[in-house]
Amino acid sequence: MSAPEQPDIDLTRRTEPLSFSEIALALGLSSRGTAHKWHKPPLQAAMGGKAPTNKPPLHAVAEALGSPLGPEVLESTRPRFPVEVVLALGKALGYLDADGRIVEEIRTKGRGRWLPAAPTTDPATKGRRVYINHLAQALGIRNESVEQSLARGTFTKPDGTDEIDRIFWWAATANTILANAKAPHRF
């Protein structure tokens, strides 16, 4: 007999902070380990035990929202994160849609680090971020073709990286790329 499936956590109605397990449920993650890594990524052995140079995603989003995390989160062995931070991170990474609901692709495929099904929203600027898969589809080519063109330096450089280091272009840049290629789609 298998354990009953736990219901999703609706972040649009939730008011109390979330644990790692609750973040995993709210975003459709397979385990709480990913949420933990978004708070404290593992130390890199190659870096002599030093912490990574980038802020962990949960911290970066909290900062972008102007919601600093206090010692009750940063120094706790059982931290709980504000709903608005988890909701914004879920949208920024593409785990949640614009309404704060789990993206169906997450529910059916349950993948970890993936390219989001739709453009995401930057927590700080609220700008739309377009990823390789979105541009490739709009251009009628494969993701690998964009990646190869980037490596050769023949594709427009990305505008930045998101909270888990996936490259993206702002919607305006993506639309310029598409206009130059005479592709009909726009973001």
Side-chain angles (χ1 to χ4, degrees):
M1 180 190 292
S2 64
E5 191 174 311
Q6 291 192 315
D8 296 336
I9 293 175
D10 185 351
L11 294 176
T12 63
R13 295 177 180 212
R14 175 91 179 216
T15 57
E16 58 276 351
L18 293 96
S19 68
F20 293 135
S21 295
E22 292 168 326
I23 292 170
L25 275 175
L27 301 183
L29 304 172
S30 58
S31 76
R32 68 186 291 281
T34 300
H36 186 265
K37 288 177 190 172
W38 290 343
H39 170 55
K40 287 201 183 246
L43 296 177
Q44 301 294 322
M47 297 178 65
K50 294 180 187 171
T53 56
N54 295 340
K55 283 189 173 135
L58 281 162
H59 300 207
V61 169
E63 186 177 294
L65 295 175
S67 297
L69 301 174
E72 70 281 358
V73 173
L74 298 176
E75 298 169 13
S76 174
T77 57
R78 295 185 175 263
R80 298 182 65 79
F81 292 86
V83 174
E84 63 272 10
V85 171
V86 177
L87 183 61
L89 179 65
K91 289 179 181 181
L93 298 180
Y95 287 87
L96 302 176
D97 64 18
D99 296 325
R101 308 274 184 244
I102 294 176
V103 172
E104 194 58 33
E105 184 177 353
I106 297 292
R107 191 181 311 285
T108 59
K109 294 185 181 174
R111 297 187 295 170
R113 188 178 174 129
W114 57 286
L115 291 171
T120 65
T121 303
D122 182 85
T125 66
K126 305 298 183 236
R128 287 174 48 89
R129 302 184 296 201
V130 177
Y131 294 81
I132 286 175
N133 56 319
H134 308 130
L135 280 171
Q137 183 177 16
L139 292 167
I141 60 177
R142 297 178 8 189
N143 292 359
E144 293 79 13
S145 299
V146 175
E147 292 166 351
Q148 289 169 354
S149 294
L150 281 166
R152 286 193 300 260
T154 59
F155 200 88
T156 303
K157 289 183 181 179
D159 290 319
T161 57
D162 70 7
E163 294 76 12
I164 56 174
D165 290 328
R166 300 176 298 189
I167 62 172
F168 71 85
W169 293 262
W170 295 115
T173 305
N175 288 336
T176 299
I177 293 167
L178 296 174
N180 290 341
K182 298 190 183 356
H185 184 81
R186 296 294 182 272
F187 294 102

